[in-house]
Amino acid sequence: MSTFDVQQVRADFPLLRQEVRGRPLVYLDSAATAQKPQAVIDAIVRFYQHDNANVHRGVHILSERATEAYEGARETVRGFLNARDAREIIFVRGTTEAINLVAQTYGRKHIGAGDEVLITQMEHHANIVPWRMLCEQTGATLKVIPVDERGELVLDAVDALLTDKTRILAVTHVSNALGTVNPVKELTRRAHAKGIPVLVDGAQSVTHFPVDVQDLGCDFYAFSGHKTFGPTGIGVLYGRLERLEPMPPYQGGGDMILSVTMEKVTYNRVPHRFEAGTPNLEGAVGLAAAIRYLQGVGLSAIAEHDREMMAYATAALEAVPGLRLIGTAREKAGVLSFTLEDIHPHDVGTILDREGICIRTGHHCAQPVMQHFKLPATARASLALYNTREDVDALVRGLHKVREVFG
């Protein structure tokens, strides 16, 4: 598209055309999972109808086509992130598996008793629990960068927490619970100044603005296909080649080996060393289609639409009596978490559902964030490229309905 047309974008997503409970669907839960454009659905169907076969070891035409599609998807992801080399792209099940892979390969090799792992207070559980498990396995200590009352990292605390014991910094690019955009380039610069590698959880970032891993300078970057308008069960771990090459395998099985005897196993080269077994072929194909779709719409245009929608939605929600936004960082993307008077977020979500409005309620797999704000849960509306001002207006009307019900 030469210019961003949100109605044209919406027309590309067949699920959004439906009515639920007699009302037009208003989908404001893309931070949990994004809807899929027809181009992605078509790519998956086309793969199964024409190209389905196992990859890498077949000599027949279907295997050759499937391999070309799978490795072509890897190259598509490389371009999307501006990685230097397609070998730096590892296909995984999602962000969670990507972080676990790094923790159990790089982490087990380089982190031991007395060492420290540094994360932040706003992390998703997927960027907390793998590191906590690693610390329990090795005797390392988990350290935490605190969050202030706006939902921003306390950057003044960072340098003191990056010590000669720190072996890795793991940080989210965009908080799924707050929407805060973290200064990961600056954090990476500070960590690298002390020789500390950096992993970035990009699950909530790649759909809201362009990401250039070479510019960020991070050592690892992870994101999920299903939040990128692609299929579930597929995700990406980017790793700088010099980090990946010395890392041991994550899982054992087919395709991650060069040779096997009863006495010895020789492991495959990167990235195949980390992709044991038959991969999610149609997932990779679908993810590549989703990336091409986003690139066709225009990543910069999507970012501008996101900024405009966040500004409009923030102002609209702030005008609702009794509503408190949780997370008021100066730079945010995609996420608006809130409470409404003393009404439990689950009740808010249930009544909005009756109005055809889908939001997320709960702790959003970020319980330390809830503990910081002394809340059991929040309601969360999350925006994507297909959302409109009319969606936000419907949400506001729904929230007034909630207030009437509990009036």
Side-chain angles (χ1 to χ4, degrees):
M1 299 176 194
S2 56
T3 59
F4 187 87
D5 182 342
V6 69
Q7 294 303 327
Q8 185 177 343
V9 167
R10 287 179 65 83
D12 294 333
F13 290 81
L15 182 140
L16 299 179
R17 301 169 196 158
Q18 66 182 289
E19 291 190 351
V20 293
R21 306 190 190 283
R23 301 174 184 274
L25 172 66
V26 176
Y27 189 75
L28 295 169
D29 196 23
S30 295
T33 199
Q35 298 306 331
K36 320 305 173 192
Q38 190 65 50
V40 169
I41 299 168
D42 290 344
I44 295 170
V45 171
R46 186 166 55 248
F47 176 81
Y48 274 130
Q49 288 179 335
H50 298 286
D51 301 323
N52 183 47
N54 217 326
V55 293
H56 295 149
R57 295 174 301 280
V59 296
H60 58 78
I61 186 63
L62 290 184
S63 181
E64 290 177 1
R65 292 209 306 249
T67 299
E68 182 180 354
Y70 182 69
E71 294 301 333
R74 197 188 306 276
E75 174 59 27
T76 297
V77 175
R78 185 212 63 76
F80 182 55
L81 295 179
N82 192 33
R84 291 173 302 174
D85 193 308
R87 292 175 294 171
E88 298 179 317
I89 304 302
I90 299 165
F91 285 121
V92 290
R93 288 181 298 164
T95 304
T96 298
E97 185 172 50
I99 296 169
N100 275 275
L101 189 159
V102 175
Q104 292 300 316
T105 56
Y106 182 87
R108 288 287 287 272
K109 184 172 182 178
H110 294 279
I111 297 171
D115 291 336
E116 295 175 355
V117 174
L118 183 58
I119 63 172
T120 84
Q121 194 176 11
M122 69 172 69
E123 299 306 314
H124 186 284
H125 293 168
N127 206 21
I128 300 174
V129 178
W131 302 113
R132 170 57 64 192
M133 292 170 63
L134 178 67
C135 288
E136 291 172 354
Q137 292 162 355
T138 63
T141 301
L142 192 66
K143 295 287 189 176
V144 181
I145 302 170
V147 170
D148 65 20
E149 291 310 302
R150 297 186 65 162
E152 296 180 332
L153 293 179
V154 181
L155 295 177
D156 290 344
V158 172
D159 289 338
L161 287 165
L162 290 168
T163 73
D164 58 3
K165 296 181 180 180
T166 309
R167 295 295 174 259
I168 194 166
L169 166 63
V171 57
T172 185
H173 203 163
V174 175
S175 165
N176 75 301
L178 302 170
T180 305
V181 180
N182 284 321
V184 294
K185 184 175 180 178
E186 170 62 17
L187 290 169
T188 299
R189 185 192 66 77
R190 294 193 197 184
H192 281 182
K194 298 185 177 183
I196 299 165
V198 178
L199 177 145
V200 179
D201 173 354
Q204 298 293 340
S205 54
V206 294
T207 60
H208 293 293
F209 47 78
V211 170
D212 183 331
V213 292
Q214 291 191 69
D215 180 61
L216 294 178
C218 58
D219 300 88
F220 303 101
Y221 197 97
F223 72 93
S224 298
H226 73 101
K227 294 179 181 178
T228 317
F229 312 100
T232 55
I234 189 74
V236 169
L237 172 65
Y238 156 81
R240 289 169 56 193
L241 202 57
E242 55 267 36
R243 293 293 186 190
L244 295 176
E245 290 282 11
M247 285 164 49
Y250 176 51
Q251 296 176 317
D255 212 33
M256 51 74 66
I257 54 86
L258 289 176
S259 68
V260 177
T261 69
M262 290 303 180
E263 292 75 32
K264 181 181 179 181
V265 175
T266 303
Y267 299 123
N268 207 341
R269 294 175 290 273
V270 172
H272 306 297
R273 181 189 308 160
F274 302 107
E275 294 179 359
T278 298
N280 184 351
L281 305 174
E282 77 283 2
V285 168
L287 175 58
I291 289 171
R292 288 192 295 270
Y293 176 81
L294 291 173
Q295 292 169 331
V297 174
L299 296 171
S300 296
I302 292 169
E304 180 58 30
H305 175 71
D306 185 80
R307 285 189 291 269
E308 292 175 358
M309 285 297 302
M310 283 294 290
Y312 182 81
T314 299
L317 291 182
E318 287 177 337
V320 176
L323 187 143
R324 175 193 172 198
L325 283 173
I326 307 300
T328 55
R330 284 160 288 191
E331 187 176 2
K332 293 182 61 176
V335 168
L336 295 142
S337 289
F338 60 90
T339 58
L340 186 60
E341 298 174 344
D342 59 353
I343 305 167
H344 197 284
H346 292 171
D347 293 326
V348 173
T350 299
I351 294 172
L352 289 176
D353 175 62
R354 295 173 185 169
E355 302 297 310
I357 303 166
C358 301
I359 67 163
R360 184 70 37 170
T361 63
H363 56 63
H364 315 298
C365 293
Q367 286 179 303
V369 172
M370 300 300 125
Q371 293 158 7
H372 173 72
F373 286 99
K374 298 179 173 59
L375 295 168
T378 66
R380 183 187 72 186
S382 51
L383 305 171
L385 75 167
Y386 40 60
N387 286 120
T388 65
R389 292 189 173 200
E390 289 75 18
D391 290 337
V392 174
D393 295 343
L395 172 63
V396 169
R397 289 194 299 271
L399 292 172
H400 284 297
K401 181 70 175 289
V402 173
R403 295 183 70 246
E404 290 173 11
V405 170
F406 285 89

